[in-house]
Amino acid sequence: MLCPTHRRRPKFESKNRSVLFEYKYFRYPLPALLQGLRTSLYERLAPIANRWNEQMGIDIRYPAEHAAFIERCHQAGQLRPTPLLLQYGAGDYNCLHQDLYGEHVFPVQVAFLLSEPGKDFTGGEFVLTEQRPRMQSRAEVVPLRQGDAVAFAVHHRPVQGARGSYRVNLRHGVSRLRSGQRYTVGVIFHDAT
């Protein structure tokens, strides 16, 4: 069981109508399973994050160990953990957004689908959009099955073009649920202010 240590956010609809669902941020100490995932995934993703920043000409580099990166966040006043449990019901959705919670942002995050599409819910597809320079945005629906995870860019990533690498901005969201309940665990590697 992943709860009971969480900061609860009730279901709400924001002024700009960007979210309508319920989510719960976990508190420290994180449940052992979640902390283990956060640590082991970070260590595999840090080399990718560093390569991306190098390709995009960004000077920031990420330490090999997650604890060192969390210490960087905490020194900047980013003290609240960001892993969360998301719950969607019929009619709920999450508009396209980026999870930027402070000065120090790890460029990749991971979402795990806990529910079974077609059985537990319909609709509720995971959606990414790529905002490419001087081009139309491109949407991608990522088909997930129960237990699948998707790793994706928090803000931007490099793309190889004819004249070298260029930066594309990404946003992610969830399309409207048509029926049932959809549960997801989000693993964000930076802490929030």
Side-chain angles (χ1 to χ4, degrees):
M1 188 74 182
L2 288 178
C3 280
T5 57
H6 62 272
R7 302 187 317 267
R8 186 178 177 89
R9 293 287 199 160
K11 186 181 221 178
F12 75 99
E13 188 166 12
S14 67
K15 285 184 192 178
N16 63 6
R17 305 180 67 80
S18 65
V19 294
L20 181 60
F21 62 96
E22 184 173 340
Y23 59 102
K24 301 171 186 175
Y25 285 99
F26 292 92
R27 291 185 182 155
Y28 283 125
L30 296 175
L33 175 63
L34 189 55
Q35 181 61 48
L37 280 171
R38 198 178 192 209
T39 300
S40 64
L41 289 170
Y42 174 90
E43 291 172 359
R44 288 169 176 79
L45 294 170
I48 295 167
N50 286 327
R51 187 170 56 248
W52 282 7
N53 279 3
E54 184 177 336
Q55 290 173 335
M56 293 185 292
I58 298 170
D59 291 334
I60 297 166
R61 295 298 178 265
Y62 301 95
E65 294 184 4
H66 188 242
F69 179 64
I70 289 299
E71 180 58 30
R72 184 188 296 178
C73 291
H74 289 185
Q75 288 177 2
Q78 294 175 226
L79 304 173
R80 297 183 339 202
T82 51
L84 71 163
L85 178 66
L86 303 104
Q87 175 186 344
Y88 299 83
D92 292 354
Y93 59 91
N94 192 351
C95 285
L96 299 170
H97 67 284
Q98 298 170 325
D99 292 311
L100 307 172
Y101 298 126
E103 175 186 356
H104 298 284
V105 174
F106 190 73
V108 182
Q109 69 187 67
V110 179
F112 291 87
L113 182 61
L114 304 179
S115 305
E116 186 176 340
K119 179 181 176 192
D120 297 329
F121 69 94
T122 60
E125 293 86 2
F126 183 81
V127 180
L128 292 168
T129 61
E130 213 174 58
Q131 298 168 317
R132 303 172 295 164
R134 298 174 302 283
M135 291 186 248
Q136 294 290 323
S137 292
R138 178 172 47 199
E140 184 78 32
V141 173
V142 180
L144 297 172
R145 296 173 304 206
Q146 184 177 32
D148 283 352
V150 57
F152 55 97
V154 171
H155 185 207
H156 46 253
R157 70 178 183 89
V159 171
Q160 188 63 39
R163 297 186 179 133
S165 291
Y166 63 95
R167 184 184 311 191
V168 296
N169 287 317
L170 279 94
R171 296 183 184 276
H172 66 279
V174 173
S175 68
R176 188 177 305 275
L177 236 71
R178 291 189 286 281
S179 66
Q181 296 282 314
R182 179 188 192 274
Y183 292 91
T184 304
V185 169
V187 180
I188 301 169
F189 299 97
H190 50 275
D191 281 355
T193 52

